[in-house]
Amino acid sequence: MAISASSHLNKGIKQVYMALPQGEKVQAMYIWIDKELPEWNFDGSSTFQSEGPNSDRYLVPAAMFRDPFHKDPNKLVFCEVFKYNQKPAETNLRHTCKRIMDMVSNQRPWFGVEQEYTLMATDGHPFGWPSNGFPGPQGPYYCGVGANKAYGRDIVEAHYWACLYASIKIGGMNTEVMPAQWEFQIGPCEGTDMGDHLWVARFILHRVCEDFGVITTFDPKPIPGNWNGAGCHTKFSTKAMREKNGLNKRHQYHIRTYNPTGGLDNARRLTGFHETSIINDFSAGVANRGASIRIPRTVGQEKKGYFEDCHPSANCDPFAVTEALICTSSERNRQQALPVQGLSGLDLQPSKPLLILHLTPPLNVIIAITQRVEYQGSCCFFF
């Protein structure tokens, strides 16, 4: 099994330097995709976000977290990206999401996500799988314990503790159906906090995996065949829903929104098998794991609470997902929403091979959202 060369470095040597006092300076690691921190800029041409002759992009701090890698008083700073003309970058979905959330703040929208991911060796083979074959079939791995069922628990628990330190609203984790596949839960979060906390939790996961010499992928279907894919089930409710029940349907709009490729990625996952619904069909059911919308049994009985949207792919942008949910559930915003083209122009046949891997809209570090297929370099500032 291939792991990165950097994982073999003597970590004790680094600690000699990390133990040095830093005086009154505070390191702020900008993670870009707005508080009491200065705006900064970066070379957008190096992240395919601008042309070389006009490359500078602005980083505007949006949310701040404790830094689990450098510890207090240092910070992780999640940022929005703006172009040279002070307009939001095309991939800055937080900007419009915040505008929508501010419009409906009186509805108190709550969100919770189940972020699935897969641990991979640096050669692209799932972590812990036999180098020239496959592990035993799915069945004993979900919420399993034991060296033959849980692959990489040290990584998962390190990530969980790092998120707790950072004050991320992480609420749980578990092994998933496919070996080397895991899940962590974020929420409940209100408004744009959902996207802020999930993006930073993803960033922390990538950094922890880097220390262990492995890779994490949010690909919706990393291994073809009779293996479960990875999603980002999203739970949602408003103040009114928590008092009475109600649902609305805009299926095609949500399918396009819940995946960075407009649904193509998700077509490999939403096949009607492996606890998924069929991508072109809308369905809802109480305690139904194969439905588009799952209504928890207690909610079905009490006629109030939340529902779980099972469509979002593991590599979704949470700002796009939460904005779509609030727009569909809110009559006021639904009337203002732009019409969305249907799926007729897309070939969403699950059998069509798609060579798309690690397509999460990436974080860059100085955290900002881009459409690169991998995380970029880092930059730290001292104030």
Side-chain angles (χ1 to χ4, degrees):
M1 181 179 63
I3 60 175
S4 70
S6 62
S7 67
H8 298 293
L9 295 174
N10 187 336
K11 304 300 182 181
I13 296 177
K14 178 184 177 183
Q15 292 308 313
V16 171
Y17 299 97
M18 298 306 294
L20 294 172
Q22 63 187 68
E24 297 180 354
K25 294 289 186 178
V26 174
Q27 184 187 73
M29 180 178 291
Y30 277 39
I31 309 169
W32 74 83
I33 65 147
D34 308 18
K35 284 170 179 24
E36 300 172 357
L37 289 164
E39 294 183 11
W40 210 262
N41 61 75
F42 70 100
D43 175 16
S45 64
S46 296
T47 57
F48 301 114
Q49 289 179 283
S50 64
E51 299 296 328
N54 190 16
S55 66
D56 277 8
R57 292 290 173 108
Y58 295 101
L59 295 176
V60 181
M64 187 163 61
F65 300 85
R66 298 171 71 195
D67 186 344
F69 307 105
H70 303 98
K71 303 182 178 65
D72 288 337
N74 305 303
K75 305 297 180 184
L76 298 177
V77 183
F78 186 61
C79 303
E80 290 192 31
V81 176
F82 287 82
K83 298 186 289 188
Y84 69 94
N85 56 5
Q86 299 293 334
K87 293 183 178 181
E90 289 78 6
T91 50
N92 179 1
L93 303 185
R94 186 186 190 277
H95 189 72
T96 54
C97 180
K98 185 177 187 306
R99 181 168 58 86
I100 294 295
M101 293 299 175
D102 288 346
M103 291 169 60
V104 298
S105 59
N106 63 321
Q107 296 188 31
R108 303 293 304 277
W110 289 1
F111 302 93
V113 299
E114 301 174 1
Q115 175 67 73
E116 295 176 344
Y117 61 94
T118 308
L119 297 175
M120 312 285 277
T122 55
D123 59 2
H125 200 63
F127 181 80
W129 284 31
S131 57
N132 295 312
F134 298 90
Q138 296 182 156
Y141 307 104
Y142 177 69
C143 294
V145 294
N148 61 338
K149 299 182 182 69
Y151 299 2
R153 189 182 296 276
D154 286 350
I155 301 169
V156 175
E157 291 193 344
H159 169 251
Y160 197 93
W161 253 249
C163 285
L164 289 175
Y165 181 90
S167 298
I168 298 290
K169 292 182 179 179
I170 192 167
M173 59 84 170
N174 58 269
T175 52
E176 266 301 332
V177 177
M178 187 181 80
Q181 185 186 73
W182 292 80
E183 171 186 299
F184 62 88
Q185 297 94 36
I186 301 291
C189 297
E190 188 166 332
T192 53
D193 281 356
M194 183 72 262
D196 295 343
H197 283 248
L198 181 57
W199 271 115
V200 176
R202 286 172 171 176
F203 165 75
I204 292 174
L205 178 59
H206 278 285
R207 280 285 280 104
V208 168
C209 285
E210 179 185 326
D211 286 343
F212 280 94
V214 300
I215 297 169
T216 188
T217 177
F218 298 106
D219 189 282
K221 187 73 173 178
I223 305 300
N226 194 26
W227 302 98
N228 272 37
C232 192
H233 292 190
T234 302
K235 298 173 172 64
F236 168 68
S237 71
T238 61
K239 184 176 182 294
M241 287 171 58
R242 293 187 288 272
E243 297 170 352
K244 61 181 180 179
N245 194 28
L247 292 174
N248 292 293
K249 302 177 183 179
R250 284 205 299 170
H251 183 64
Q252 296 179 349
Y253 162 60
H254 285 262
I255 289 295
R256 284 185 175 274
T257 304
Y258 287 177
N259 178 248
T261 57
L264 289 173
D265 256 9
N266 233 354
R268 294 178 287 135
R269 169 179 160 260
L270 298 177
T271 61
F273 298 99
H274 306 112
E275 301 179 66
T276 67
S277 60
I278 298 174
I279 191 168
N280 289 314
D281 296 338
F282 177 87
S283 59
V286 174
N288 185 349
R289 289 284 172 183
S292 306
I293 299 294
R294 185 182 71 87
I295 302 170
R297 191 171 300 282
T298 55
V299 174
Q301 293 170 344
E302 297 174 7
K303 307 300 180 185
K304 64 179 181 179
Y306 68 92
F307 64 80
E308 177 181 347
D309 192 335
C310 302
H311 288 126
S313 61
N315 60 350
C316 69
D317 188 318
F319 293 118
V321 173
T322 54
E323 180 182 328
L325 283 169
I326 198 66
C327 283
T328 292
S329 67
S330 169
E331 184 67 31
R332 174 185 176 188
N333 285 306
R334 186 164 60 255
Q335 291 172 350
Q336 296 175 352
L338 294 175
V340 179
Q341 181 182 353
L343 290 175
S344 58
L346 285 179
D347 181 4
L348 293 177
Q349 297 302 315
S351 59
K352 183 178 181 180
L354 295 172
L355 300 179
I356 303 172
L357 191 61
H358 306 167
L359 250 179
T360 305
L363 293 173
N364 291 266
V365 186
I366 339 186
I367 293 175
I369 294 180
T370 79
Q371 288 292 351
R372 295 292 305 273
V373 295
E374 58 190 19
Y375 283 67
Q376 299 302 315
S378 64
C379 211
C380 299
F381 307 120
F382 288 86
F383 305 110

